[in-house]
Amino acid sequence: MFENFNQTTVDLTILMEQHKNTFTKSEQKLYTYIKKNLDLIVYQSLTELANACHVGEATVLRFCRKLGYKGYQGFKLALAREISMRDQNISDDTYIDKVRNNMVQAIEDTYKLVDDEQLQRAIDQIDQSTNVVVFGVSSSGIAGLDMQNRLMRIGVNIETITDSHNQVLRANSVNQDTVIIAISLTGSTKDIIDAVETSKDNGASIIAITNYTESPLSKFADIVLLTSAKENPLDSGSLVSKISQLFVIDLLCTGITMRNYEDAKKTKEKIAQTISNKLY
């Protein structure tokens, strides 16, 4: 493999040109699609790219490895770097508007993806469950902790687990009364998938909050709540992605609060009184 050499010295588009005579018929489909959709590819999952080109996921992986990358993520990272270098001519005085516009767009796009039926089903399951567990890692874990904070304040029995080992441990102690909320922007985080699969085998219901309908996480989910945040590998963990997740989380928390308004109000008042005693 010559991944480090390729990524640091030769642009991905040049590499593809150098290798195009060696591509199989299926790989030619990938090559043609990628050349026409460079800016889109960095936001697509492995499954989405394979489906867009009408090839198998294994073909995409072989294509990436033929170019010297260990896998699809390495391929996307190289492409993101090339695009970033291309766009470096953006002046510094535009970044404030760019960040603002990206955040507003993420909320607008996520709003358009809200499926009211799926949302109400998720609210029903969380409301009826006595055991709610949230799985998330990295920035998705931060969003999960925010959800825990919100729902604990209205009396929901919820825990958020951000450590991958503890997620697997917890997954083995769930049952049919447990609701798992799995948060993953890509829907392809292996640690989350492993914990969700184990939880599913043990009878838990799965709610996925993710950017992609076609992802390994979605395949295990009973309910999928979609977010829409464009994040390439160089932007991983950005606030824009969390904003879209927090928007969906806010919808869930608000729906549960409205459904149990009187009890939620009493719990909030108790918590406010308790916390006030901790302030000088």
Side-chain angles (χ1 to χ4, degrees):
M1 303 297 286
F2 45 95
E3 181 167 6
N4 289 335
F5 175 78
N6 289 339
Q7 289 185 336
T8 58
T9 62
V10 183
D11 285 347
L12 174 59
T13 50
I14 295 175
L15 275 175
M16 290 195 299
E17 287 295 327
Q18 291 175 335
H19 287 78
K20 67 179 181 181
N21 290 335
T22 69
F23 293 154
T24 64
K25 191 172 182 179
S26 294
E27 289 168 348
Q28 283 289 347
K29 291 182 182 179
L30 282 165
Y31 167 75
T32 302
Y33 179 83
I34 291 167
K35 286 282 287 184
K36 292 180 179 179
N37 300 277
L38 287 176
D39 291 312
L40 176 64
I41 301 297
V42 291
Y43 303 115
Q44 288 187 311
S45 67
L46 172 64
T47 305
E48 285 184 318
L49 176 58
N51 289 345
C53 297
H54 305 290
V55 300
E57 293 181 12
T59 300
V60 178
L61 292 174
R62 282 197 302 271
F63 180 84
C64 296
R65 288 165 184 156
K66 183 173 284 189
L67 296 175
Y69 301 99
K70 292 180 180 177
Y72 182 55
Q73 289 305 311
F75 172 88
K76 283 211 303 183
L77 181 59
L79 180 57
R81 285 174 177 155
E82 183 174 340
I83 292 172
S84 178
M85 291 297 291
R86 184 196 69 190
D87 295 340
Q88 269 189 353
N89 60 347
I90 296 177
S91 59
D92 289 341
D93 60 0
T94 66
Y95 79 92
I96 296 175
D97 288 335
K98 184 178 179 182
V99 171
R100 172 194 171 277
N101 292 338
N102 284 345
M103 288 190 179
V104 172
Q105 192 65 52
I107 293 177
E108 286 288 342
D109 290 346
T110 301
Y111 167 78
K112 293 174 184 176
L113 291 174
V114 173
D115 183 324
D116 189 59
E117 182 180 345
Q118 293 280 297
L119 179 64
Q120 294 306 317
R121 284 182 59 209
I123 290 171
D124 286 341
Q125 287 202 2
I126 296 169
D127 184 43
Q128 294 167 10
S129 175
T130 57
N131 187 18
V132 180
V133 182
V134 181
F135 290 156
V137 297
S138 190
S139 60
S140 295
I142 296 172
L145 289 169
D146 183 81
M147 185 175 197
Q148 174 181 280
N149 184 279
R150 290 283 306 279
L151 291 183
M152 283 178 66
R153 288 174 180 271
I154 59 172
V156 176
N157 180 25
I158 181 174
E159 62 176 315
T160 294
I161 304 174
T162 60
D163 178 83
S164 58
H165 292 278
N166 287 336
Q167 286 170 356
V168 174
L169 291 175
R170 187 67 179 86
N172 281 286
S173 63
V174 303
N175 54 41
Q176 60 186 10
D177 296 322
T178 306
V179 171
I180 299 291
I181 302 172
I183 307 175
S184 173
L185 188 74
T186 64
S188 301
T189 305
K190 190 175 186 305
D191 290 333
I192 297 294
I193 306 305
D194 290 344
V196 165
E197 183 176 9
T198 301
S199 300
K200 184 83 170 178
D201 290 342
N202 287 323
S205 299
I206 310 296
I207 299 172
I209 300 177
T210 182
N211 236 36
Y212 302 106
T213 53
E214 297 176 350
S215 67
L217 176 59
S218 299
K219 293 175 183 176
F220 290 109
D222 300 296
I223 299 171
V224 177
L225 301 176
L226 291 173
T227 59
S228 179
K230 291 184 177 180
E231 181 182 80
N232 71 45
L234 296 182
D235 296 329
S236 182
S238 69
L239 183 57
V240 173
S241 62
K242 285 194 286 291
I243 287 291
S244 62
Q245 292 172 337
L246 291 173
F247 177 72
V248 171
I249 287 170
D250 205 7
L251 293 177
L252 289 170
C253 295
T254 301
I256 294 165
T257 300
M258 291 174 62
R259 187 165 296 187
N260 303 278
Y261 181 76
E262 290 302 325
D263 289 339
K265 183 179 178 182
K266 290 177 183 177
T267 303
K268 280 185 174 182
E269 289 173 351
K270 289 180 183 178
I271 291 172
Q273 181 61 44
T274 303
I275 291 176
S276 68
N277 294 331
K278 294 183 176 293
L279 301 176
Y280 285 105

Short mmCIF file of all heavy atoms in Angstrom, two decimals, residues 143-168:
data_model
loop_
_atom_site.label_atom_id
_atom_site.label_comp_id
_atom_site.label_asym_id
_atom_site.label_seq_id
_atom_site.Cartn_x
_atom_site.Cartn_y
_atom_site.Cartn_z
N ALA A 143 -24.04 15.46 22.02
CA ALA A 143 -25.47 15.67 21.77
C ALA A 143 -26.31 14.76 22.66
O ALA A 143 -27.36 15.17 23.18
CB ALA A 143 -25.78 15.42 20.29
N GLY A 144 -25.85 13.52 22.85
CA GLY A 144 -26.55 12.58 23.71
C GLY A 144 -26.59 13.04 25.15
O GLY A 144 -27.61 12.88 25.85
N LEU A 145 -25.50 13.62 25.62
CA LEU A 145 -25.45 14.13 27.00
C LEU A 145 -26.42 15.29 27.17
O LEU A 145 -27.03 15.45 28.24
CB LEU A 145 -24.03 14.56 27.35
CG LEU A 145 -23.03 13.42 27.53
CD1 LEU A 145 -21.60 13.96 27.62
CD2 LEU A 145 -23.36 12.60 28.79
N ASP A 146 -26.57 16.10 26.14
CA ASP A 146 -27.54 17.19 26.19
C ASP A 146 -28.96 16.63 26.30
O ASP A 146 -29.79 17.14 27.05
CB ASP A 146 -27.42 18.07 24.95
CG ASP A 146 -28.36 19.26 25.01
OD1 ASP A 146 -28.01 20.26 25.67
OD2 ASP A 146 -29.45 19.20 24.40
N MET A 147 -29.22 15.56 25.55
CA MET A 147 -30.54 14.92 25.61
C MET A 147 -30.80 14.37 27.01
O MET A 147 -31.91 14.50 27.55
CB MET A 147 -30.63 13.81 24.58
CG MET A 147 -32.01 13.18 24.48
SD MET A 147 -32.12 11.96 23.16
CE MET A 147 -33.91 11.83 23.00
N GLN A 148 -29.79 13.75 27.60
CA GLN A 148 -29.92 13.23 28.95
C GLN A 148 -30.27 14.35 29.92
O GLN A 148 -31.17 14.21 30.76
CB GLN A 148 -28.60 12.57 29.38
CG GLN A 148 -28.58 12.12 30.83
CD GLN A 148 -27.26 11.49 31.22
OE1 GLN A 148 -27.01 10.34 30.93
NE2 GLN A 148 -26.39 12.26 31.87
N ASN A 149 -29.57 15.47 29.81
CA ASN A 149 -29.81 16.60 30.70
C ASN A 149 -31.24 17.11 30.56
O ASN A 149 -31.92 17.39 31.55
CB ASN A 149 -28.81 17.72 30.37
CG ASN A 149 -28.93 18.91 31.30
OD1 ASN A 149 -29.80 19.75 31.13
ND2 ASN A 149 -28.05 18.98 32.28
N ARG A 150 -31.71 17.21 29.31
CA ARG A 150 -33.06 17.72 29.07
C ARG A 150 -34.12 16.80 29.65
O ARG A 150 -35.07 17.25 30.30
CB ARG A 150 -33.28 17.87 27.55
CG ARG A 150 -32.50 18.99 26.88
CD ARG A 150 -33.12 20.35 27.14
NE ARG A 150 -34.52 20.40 26.78
CZ ARG A 150 -34.97 20.58 25.54
NH1 ARG A 150 -34.12 20.71 24.55
NH2 ARG A 150 -36.27 20.63 25.31
N LEU A 151 -33.99 15.50 29.39
CA LEU A 151 -35.04 14.56 29.81
C LEU A 151 -34.99 14.24 31.30
O LEU A 151 -36.03 13.98 31.91
CB LEU A 151 -34.95 13.29 28.97
CG LEU A 151 -35.32 13.45 27.49
CD1 LEU A 151 -35.26 12.11 26.76
CD2 LEU A 151 -36.72 14.05 27.34
N MET A 152 -33.80 14.28 31.89
CA MET A 152 -33.73 14.08 33.34
C MET A 152 -34.49 15.19 34.09
O MET A 152 -35.06 14.95 35.15
CB MET A 152 -32.26 14.06 33.79
CG MET A 152 -31.54 12.75 33.50
SD MET A 152 -29.80 12.79 34.01
CE MET A 152 -29.97 12.91 35.78
N ARG A 153 -34.50 16.37 33.51
CA ARG A 153 -35.16 17.51 34.15
C ARG A 153 -36.68 17.39 34.16
O ARG A 153 -37.36 18.14 34.86
CB ARG A 153 -34.75 18.82 33.46
CG ARG A 153 -33.32 19.23 33.74
CD ARG A 153 -32.91 20.45 32.92
NE ARG A 153 -31.54 20.83 33.21
CZ ARG A 153 -31.17 21.67 34.17
NH1 ARG A 153 -32.10 22.24 34.93
NH2 ARG A 153 -29.92 21.96 34.38
N ILE A 154 -37.21 16.45 33.35
CA ILE A 154 -38.67 16.24 33.38
C ILE A 154 -39.01 14.84 33.90
O ILE A 154 -40.12 14.35 33.70
CB ILE A 154 -39.31 16.48 32.00
CG1 ILE A 154 -38.72 15.54 30.94
CG2 ILE A 154 -39.13 17.94 31.57
CD1 ILE A 154 -39.45 15.61 29.60
N GLY A 155 -38.02 14.19 34.52
CA GLY A 155 -38.30 12.94 35.21
C GLY A 155 -38.14 11.66 34.40
O GLY A 155 -38.57 10.59 34.84
N VAL A 156 -37.53 11.74 33.22
CA VAL A 156 -37.33 10.53 32.41
C VAL A 156 -36.10 9.78 32.91
O VAL A 156 -35.05 10.37 33.17
CB VAL A 156 -37.15 10.90 30.92
CG1 VAL A 156 -36.83 9.65 30.09
CG2 VAL A 156 -38.40 11.58 30.39
N ASN A 157 -36.25 8.46 33.06
CA ASN A 157 -35.13 7.62 33.47
C ASN A 157 -34.24 7.35 32.25
O ASN A 157 -34.53 6.48 31.44
CB ASN A 157 -35.66 6.30 34.05
CG ASN A 157 -34.54 5.37 34.49
OD1 ASN A 157 -33.44 5.82 34.80
ND2 ASN A 157 -34.81 4.08 34.52
N ILE A 158 -33.17 8.10 32.13
CA ILE A 158 -32.33 8.05 30.94
C ILE A 158 -30.85 8.06 31.32
O ILE A 158 -30.47 8.69 32.30
CB ILE A 158 -32.65 9.24 30.00
CG1 ILE A 158 -31.80 9.18 28.72
CG2 ILE A 158 -32.49 10.58 30.71
CD1 ILE A 158 -32.18 10.23 27.69
N GLU A 159 -30.06 7.34 30.55
CA GLU A 159 -28.60 7.40 30.72
C GLU A 159 -27.96 7.47 29.35
O GLU A 159 -28.43 6.87 28.38
CB GLU A 159 -28.08 6.16 31.48
CG GLU A 159 -28.32 4.84 30.77
CD GLU A 159 -27.70 3.65 31.49
OE1 GLU A 159 -26.53 3.76 31.92
OE2 GLU A 159 -28.40 2.62 31.62
N THR A 160 -26.90 8.24 29.25
CA THR A 160 -26.15 8.37 28.01
C THR A 160 -24.77 7.76 28.21
O THR A 160 -24.08 8.07 29.18
CB THR A 160 -26.01 9.84 27.59
OG1 THR A 160 -27.28 10.36 27.26
CG2 THR A 160 -25.09 9.98 26.38
N ILE A 161 -24.39 6.87 27.30
CA ILE A 161 -23.10 6.18 27.38
C ILE A 161 -22.27 6.56 26.16
O ILE A 161 -22.69 6.34 25.02
CB ILE A 161 -23.28 4.66 27.45
CG1 ILE A 161 -24.19 4.29 28.64
CG2 ILE A 161 -21.94 3.95 27.58
CD1 ILE A 161 -24.55 2.83 28.72
N THR A 162 -21.10 7.14 26.40
CA THR A 162 -20.24 7.61 25.31
C THR A 162 -18.98 6.77 25.16
O THR A 162 -18.23 6.95 24.20
CB THR A 162 -19.84 9.08 25.53
OG1 THR A 162 -19.13 9.20 26.77
CG2 THR A 162 -21.08 9.97 25.58
N ASP A 163 -18.73 5.87 26.10
CA ASP A 163 -17.56 4.99 26.01
C ASP A 163 -17.95 3.71 25.27
O ASP A 163 -18.94 3.05 25.63
CB ASP A 163 -17.05 4.66 27.41
CG ASP A 163 -15.86 3.71 27.37
OD1 ASP A 163 -14.72 4.18 27.18
OD2 ASP A 163 -16.08 2.49 27.51
N SER A 164 -17.19 3.34 24.25
CA SER A 164 -17.57 2.21 23.40
C SER A 164 -17.60 0.88 24.15
O SER A 164 -18.46 0.03 23.88
CB SER A 164 -16.61 2.11 22.20
OG SER A 164 -15.28 1.95 22.63
N HIS A 165 -16.68 0.69 25.09
CA HIS A 165 -16.68 -0.56 25.86
C HIS A 165 -17.90 -0.64 26.76
O HIS A 165 -18.55 -1.69 26.86
CB HIS A 165 -15.39 -0.66 26.69
CG HIS A 165 -14.16 -0.83 25.87
ND1 HIS A 165 -13.75 -2.06 25.39
CD2 HIS A 165 -13.24 0.05 25.42
CE1 HIS A 165 -12.64 -1.93 24.70
NE2 HIS A 165 -12.31 -0.64 24.69
N ASN A 166 -18.23 0.47 27.41
CA ASN A 166 -19.40 0.48 28.29
C ASN A 166 -20.70 0.34 27.49
O ASN A 166 -21.69 -0.20 27.99
CB ASN A 166 -19.43 1.77 29.11
CG ASN A 166 -18.38 1.79 30.21
OD1 ASN A 166 -17.93 0.74 30.65
ND2 ASN A 166 -17.97 2.98 30.63
N GLN A 167 -20.70 0.81 26.25
CA GLN A 167 -21.87 0.63 25.41
C GLN A 167 -22.15 -0.84 25.16
O GLN A 167 -23.30 -1.30 25.24
CB GLN A 167 -21.66 1.36 24.08
CG GLN A 167 -21.77 2.87 24.19
CD GLN A 167 -21.32 3.59 22.93
OE1 GLN A 167 -20.86 2.97 21.98
NE2 GLN A 167 -21.44 4.91 22.91
N VAL A 168 -21.10 -1.60 24.87
CA VAL A 168 -21.27 -3.04 24.64
C VAL A 168 -21.71 -3.74 25.91
O VAL A 168 -22.57 -4.63 25.89
CB VAL A 168 -19.96 -3.66 24.08
CG1 VAL A 168 -20.09 -5.17 23.99
CG2 VAL A 168 -19.64 -3.09 22.72
#
